[in-house]
C-alpha cells in the first residue's frame, strides 16, 4: 500500500473495532489469541518492544501529575462544607429504583459510597473505624447474624475516568465533551486532566451540586475548559447537538421516576444525531431500555464499539470489573 493510502493509527483502530463488532462473542477469545500471536511475531521480527495500546492498562500504577491533581480535587470535595459525610445532599432526593436489578434489593441494605471521593478500601475502612459507615447490616436485630451491605456509587471512580479518557476514546483535542448529570464533577475533571478536550460541559439539575462543581472549577483554575450548566438536560438540545462525546453515567435510574426516564430517553434519541459523536454510557443503553421496558431501535441510532480488547489487558481484577461496565457507542 502506498504511504499516502496507509491508515492512521486511529483509522486502523476503528477498522479493528469494526471487525470485532462483526465477530460473534463466542469467537472473540480465539480471535484475540491469534492476534496476540501475530503481535508477538511482529515484535520479534522488528526487534521492537513496544506494547499495543492498552497493554499497560494497569490503571492503579504509575501515578501521574493528573492522578495526583484528581486526588487533590476529590479530597477538596470530601471536605466541602456543604457535603455531608455520606456525600449525598438532602436536596438530591435519591429514589430507590422500582424496576431493574436494584429494585430487588431491600433499600435499607443499600448504602451510597462515592467512588470518586472514597476510591480505595483503606478510605472505606477509615470511615467504618470512625463510625461513619458500616460494611454489614444485622439480619436479626440483636443477634450476631449479619450480611454485607450493598455499596452503590453515584460518581465515576478515578479508574473509570482514566479508562474512559485515556483508553476508550480517540484523541479529543479540540473536541466538546458533555456530561449529562455531572453531580460532583468527576467526569469534568477527568476530561480536563486525562484528555485534550477544549470544551467540557456538565449539565446538572441540582443547583447545590452545581455550586460545589463551581467551587472546584474556581479553586483549581479549570474555567478555561470547564463550564457547569444548572439545567434539566431536556432544555439543552443545542449543546447536545454540538457535542463530540456525551457521557451518561447512571443519570436517571436513581434520580427520576420511570415515566420521566422514558421521556428523557426519547428526547435524547431525537436530539443526539451528530454522526460520529461518541456516547459513553454506564450501564449499556440496552440495559437502561430493558429496565424501563422501552422499545427503541438502537441499531438505527448507534453502533456499539467493543472495549474488550482494551479491558482484557488490565491486570487487577477489581479495576477490570469496574471498567468492564463502561460502554462506548458511535452515532450513525
Ligand atoms: C449518578 S449521577 C452521575 C454523576 C457523574 N456524571 C459521574 O459519573 O460521576 C446522576 C446525576 O444526574 C443528575 N440528573 C438527573 N436527572 C437529570 C436531568 N434531567 N437533567 C440534568 N441532570 C440530571 C442528578 O441530579 C445526579 O447528580
Amino acid at each position: 500500500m502506498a504511504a499516502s493510502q496507509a491508515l492512521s493509527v486511529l483509522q486502523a483502530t476503528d477498522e479493528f473495532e469494526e471487525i470485532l463488532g462483526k465477530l460473534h462473542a463466542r469467537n472473540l477469545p480465539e480471535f484475540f489469541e491469534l492476534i496476540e500471536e501475530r503481535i508477538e511475531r511482529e515484535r520479534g521480527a522488528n526487534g521492537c518492544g513496544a506494547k499495543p495500546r492498552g497493554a499497560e492498562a494497569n490503571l492503579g500504577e504509575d501515578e501521574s501529575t493528573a492522578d495526583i491533581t484528581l486526588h487533590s480535587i476529590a479530597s477538596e470535595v470530601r471536605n466541602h462544607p456543604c457535603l455531608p459525610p455520606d456525600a449525598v445532599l438532602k436536596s438530591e432526593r435519591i429514589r430507590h429504583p422500582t424496576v431493574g436489578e436494584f429494585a430487588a434489593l431491600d433499600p435499607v441494605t443499600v448504602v451510597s459510597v462515592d467512588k470518586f471521593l472514597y476510591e480505595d478500601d483503606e478510605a472505606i475502612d477509615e470511615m467504618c473505624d470512625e463510625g461513619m459507615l458500616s460494611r454489614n447490616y444485622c439480619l436479626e436485630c440483636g443477634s450476631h447474624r449479619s450480611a454485607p451491605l450493598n455499596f452503590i456509587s453515584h460518581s465515576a471512580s478515578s479508574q473509570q475516568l482514566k479508562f474512559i479518557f485515556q483508553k476508550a476514546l480517540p484523541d479529543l483535542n479540540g473536541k466538546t465533551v458533555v456530561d449529562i448529570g455531572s453531580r460532583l464533577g468527576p467526569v469534568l475533571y477527568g476530561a480536563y486532566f486525562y484528555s485534550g478536550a477544549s470544551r467540557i460541559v456538565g449539565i446538572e439539575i441540582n443547583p447545590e451540586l452545581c455550586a460545589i462543581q463551581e467551587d472546584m472549577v474556581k479553586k483549581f483554575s479549570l474555567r478555561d475548559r470547564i463550564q457547569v450548566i444548572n439545567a434539566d438536560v431536556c432544555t439543552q438540545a443545542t449543546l447536545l447537538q454540538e457535542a463530540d462525546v456525551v457521557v451518561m453515567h447512571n443519570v436517571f435510574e436513581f434520580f427520576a421516576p420511570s415515566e420521566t426516564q422514558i421521556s428523557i430517553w426519547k428526547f435524547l434519541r431525537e436530539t443526539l444525531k451528530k454522526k460520529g459523536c461518541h456516547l459513553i454510557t454506564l450501564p449499556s443503553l440496552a440495559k437502561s431500555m430493558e429496565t424501563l421496558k422501552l422499545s427503541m431501535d438502537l441499531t438505527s441510532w448507534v453502533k456499539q464499539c467493543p472495549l474488550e480488547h482494551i479491558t482484557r489487558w488490565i491486570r487487577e481484577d477489581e479495576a477490570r470489573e469496574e471498567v468492564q461496565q463502561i460502554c462506548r457507542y458511535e452515532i450513525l
Side-chain angles (χ1 to χ4, degrees):
M1 189 183 281
S4 60
Q5 291 174 302
L7 297 181
S8 69
V9 174
L10 193 58
Q11 286 166 327
T13 311
D14 281 347
E15 289 205 2
F16 184 68
E17 303 269 15
E18 211 174 309
I19 296 171
L20 290 181
K22 287 180 191 160
L23 271 166
H24 195 287
R26 70 167 171 267
N27 293 327
L28 282 174
E30 191 187 341
F31 179 67
F32 285 139
E33 258 175 45
L34 290 170
I35 294 290
E36 263 178 55
E37 277 171 30
R38 180 73 184 79
I39 292 168
E40 283 310 315
R41 257 191 292 138
E42 193 69 20
R43 280 214 196 110
N46 291 337
C48 115
K51 289 178 186 166
R53 181 179 158 86
E56 302 221 65
N58 188 357
L59 299 171
E61 272 178 12
D62 301 332
E63 245 200 1
S64 64
T65 316
D67 299 341
I68 294 166
T69 315
L70 228 67
H71 287 157
S72 308
I73 299 180
S75 149
E76 201 64 38
V77 177
R78 243 185 347 252
N79 295 317
H80 194 283
C82 296
L83 202 66
D86 67 355
V88 177
L89 298 176
K90 277 206 179 72
S91 59
E92 287 196 83
R93 278 185 256 111
I94 292 177
R95 50 177 65 235
H96 191 76
T98 51
V99 289
E101 65 175 306
F102 289 103
L105 299 174
D106 180 347
V108 299
T109 69
V110 180
V111 175
S112 296
V113 177
D114 192 292
K115 280 257 181 185
F116 176 62
L117 305 183
Y118 302 99
E119 180 84 38
D120 49 32
D121 259 14
E122 253 173 62
I124 294 174
D125 282 344
E126 229 169 79
M127 284 173 81
C128 291
D129 291 348
E130 287 169 16
M132 286 152 62
L133 181 72
S134 171
R135 283 189 185 274
N136 299 300
Y137 70 96
C138 176
L139 285 170
E140 270 171 45
C141 196
S143 88
H144 288 236
R145 290 187 64 220
S146 67
L149 285 160
N150 300 291
F151 288 172
I152 162 104
S153 173
H154 296 297
S155 292
S157 68
S158 305
Q159 308 223 68
Q160 289 174 324
L161 297 170
K162 204 168 176 175
F163 176 79
I164 291 170
F165 293 108
Q166 289 193 335
K167 309 278 177 202
L169 287 165
D171 186 353
L172 297 183
N173 260 317
K175 305 286 185 192
T176 297
V177 174
V178 174
D179 182 28
I180 301 183
S182 47
R183 200 165 183 268
L184 298 169
V187 172
L188 311 182
Y189 319 134
Y192 191 100
F193 290 104
Y194 294 136
S195 88
S198 55
R199 187 180 176 211
I200 304 162
V201 189
I203 306 171
E204 172 53 58
I205 203 164
N206 181 310
E208 287 183 71
L209 289 169
C210 289
I212 294 176
Q213 293 172 67
E214 287 290 359
D215 285 349
M216 295 307 126
V217 168
K218 190 165 170 216
K219 188 153 207 144
F220 289 86
S221 305
L222 312 175
R223 201 167 300 288
D224 56 334
R225 290 162 56 210
I226 294 186
Q227 183 192 1
V228 180
I229 298 179
N230 178 206
D232 184 324
V233 64
C234 295
T235 65
Q236 298 300 310
T238 309
L239 169 63
L240 291 170
Q241 279 155 1
E242 288 166 1
D244 300 293
V245 177
V246 176
V247 181
M248 292 179 268
H249 171 203
N250 255 335
V251 192
F252 314 118
E253 195 177 359
F254 284 83
F255 298 88
S258 300
E259 321 79 73
T260 314
Q261 293 185 49
I262 290 173
S263 75
I264 297 175
W265 281 115
K266 287 183 177 166
F267 162 79
L268 292 172
R269 171 68 181 90
E270 277 306 298
T271 310
L272 291 170
K273 284 185 172 160
K274 182 169 159 183
K275 193 172 165 11
C277 168
H278 302 280
L279 305 184
I280 294 288
T281 76
L282 207 160
S284 68
L285 290 174
K287 195 163 179 193
S288 297
M289 308 292 151
E290 185 194 325
T291 302
L292 293 168
K293 297 200 169 47
L294 172 61
S295 88
M296 192 178 273
D297 179 19
L298 293 177
T299 56
S300 62
W301 183 27
V302 289
K303 79 165 181 198
Q304 183 156 11
C305 310
L307 296 171
E308 292 88 356
H309 62 293
I310 311 174
T311 54
R312 67 191 298 269
W313 291 97
I314 298 170
R315 288 193 288 274
E316 308 105 348
D317 293 344
E318 208 183 310
R320 194 173 50 251
E321 273 164 32
E322 242 183 46
V323 301
Q324 272 171 341
Q325 304 158 21
I326 295 165
C327 299
R328 178 187 144 196
Y329 304 85
E330 224 175 287
I331 294 185
L332 297 168

